[in-house]
Amino acid sequence: MKKVSTASLLKMKSEGDKISALTAYDASFAKLFDEQGVDVILIGDSLGMVLKGDDSTLSVTLDEVAYHTKCVAKGTTRAFVVADMPFMSFANENDTYMNASTLMRAGASMVKLEGGEWLLKTIEGLIERSVPVCGHLGLTPQSVNVIGGFKVQGRNTEQAEALLKSALALEQAGIQMLVLECVPQQLAKQVSEALKIPVIGIGAGADTDGQILVMHDMFGISANYMPKFSKNYLVENHDIRSAVGQYIAEVKSGEFPSQEHAFS
Ligand code: KIV
């Protein structure tokens, strides 16, 4: 099977072929997801919550993401591997370049940064230095203390217009993929239609170019909590492989997410 690349992800968007993505943090799950045909695997800083048991992602260090990226890369043959730049790891230019290079050397093919227009120069600098970048807008969990909780973003006209403007600016700066988290379905549709690059949604409705879930959520094992936008695929399946297979099939067909998983 041919390895997924920035070029094939772009082609998938242009052909309306939905992109399936999951988080993973170790080689065994990465291998299983890869074998089932997941297109993108993210080593998310969600590891702070689902692996370490924290109530936010802020404690996650670059070394931790690099360690888990190395594990995931070893298990992956076909999927495109993206690693999260954790909180404060891209606060200034030099740190950003060194930290991004650590994640690329660990096995990532792209790094993901949370934030809007304040990142434009950083993104340009990374691209100039041959580091592909994924943006992340909407609910950006690293800003949870500024936002005041894990809340749906872009619900009023002013916020929605600002988010669309940020997405266009990030694309102009060179990002090659965008994660859109917890925004109304209509806004996610608008952003996905406005951008040429793939937009991957989580809690953003069915009209994005692909979907991502935190693996612990899609197996229903996140401690005492199932987000509205997620679905427990183990309920209808007897084993993990068929659960992942069903998730991929439902993303590809557009069956997931349904209205019950979307915000308005
Ligand atoms: O950290 C993470 O797992 C993420 C996903 C929720 C997209 O950023």
Side-chain angles (χ1 to χ4, degrees):
M1 264 193 218
K2 223 175 145 200
K3 198 164 169 45
V4 180
S5 64
T6 48
S8 51
L9 290 168
L10 199 57
K11 188 161 175 273
M12 287 173 81
K13 162 141 186 165
S14 69
E15 292 176 353
D17 182 6
K18 297 268 186 188
I19 297 165
S20 60
L22 280 174
T23 67
Y25 316 94
D26 67 38
S28 301
F29 275 111
K31 185 165 183 291
L32 191 151
F33 297 166
D34 193 74
E35 285 169 356
Q36 292 305 306
V38 165
D39 300 308
V40 175
I41 297 182
L42 170 71
I43 301 91
D45 62 358
S46 50
L47 73 87
M49 301 172 84
V50 296
L51 299 191
K52 296 167 68 177
D54 292 342
D55 57 10
S56 80
T57 59
L58 301 194
S59 75
V60 176
T61 65
L62 189 84
D63 285 348
E64 287 169 341
V65 179
Y67 170 82
H68 290 284
T69 300
K70 275 184 198 154
C71 300
V72 165
K74 281 185 201 162
T76 308
T77 308
R78 175 188 168 271
F80 189 71
V81 176
V82 183
D84 250 342
M85 297 277 288
F87 179 61
M88 278 298 157
S89 68
F90 47 100
N92 64 60
E93 234 171 86
N94 279 345
D95 284 358
T96 305
Y97 300 151
M98 293 321 295
N99 292 338
S101 73
T102 299
L103 298 183
M104 296 295 283
R105 288 193 178 116
S109 295
M110 178 180 268
V111 296
K112 176 162 81 59
L113 277 68
E114 292 183 11
E117 272 103 331
W118 70 275
L119 283 174
L120 296 182
K121 267 192 71 183
T122 306
I123 291 164
E124 283 164 2
L126 283 167
I127 310 283
E128 280 163 4
R129 287 159 183 79
S130 307
V131 179
V133 180
C134 176
H136 185 152
L137 292 172
L139 171 57
T140 47
Q142 290 172 16
S143 311
V144 63
N145 293 313
V146 176
I147 297 170
F150 294 96
K151 296 178 181 160
V152 178
Q153 300 296 301
R155 270 192 155 140
N156 66 46
T157 310
E158 201 183 325
Q159 277 180 2
E161 283 173 2
L163 194 145
L164 177 58
K165 189 166 158 271
S166 299
L168 287 165
L170 293 185
E171 181 179 59
Q172 180 71 28
I175 61 164
Q176 288 172 286
M177 191 153 69
L178 176 69
V179 167
L180 211 46
E181 180 166 351
C182 289
V183 299
Q185 177 159 359
Q186 184 54 32
L187 173 58
K189 183 174 192 285
Q190 233 186 319
V191 173
S192 305
E193 287 171 355
L195 300 193
K196 293 182 192 73
I197 57 162
V199 176
I200 311 296
I202 174 165
D207 300 313
T208 53
D209 307 305
Q211 300 293 328
I212 185 162
L213 285 179
V214 171
M215 58 165 276
H216 291 65
D217 292 343
M218 70 94 67
F219 292 136
I221 51 174
S222 296
N224 305 322
Y225 178 64
M226 175 58 82
K228 168 183 161 63
F229 55 78
S230 193
K231 175 172 170 180
N232 180 350
Y233 280 91
L234 268 184
V235 169
E236 295 168 29
N237 289 280
H238 301 299
D239 72 291
I240 290 174
R241 278 184 180 76
S242 43
V244 175
Q246 188 187 343
Y247 166 67
I248 296 171
E250 288 192 4
V251 169
K252 298 279 177 196
S253 70
E255 197 177 324
F256 177 81
S258 64
Q259 282 305 314
E260 70 177 291
H261 305 113
F263 298 107
S264 53

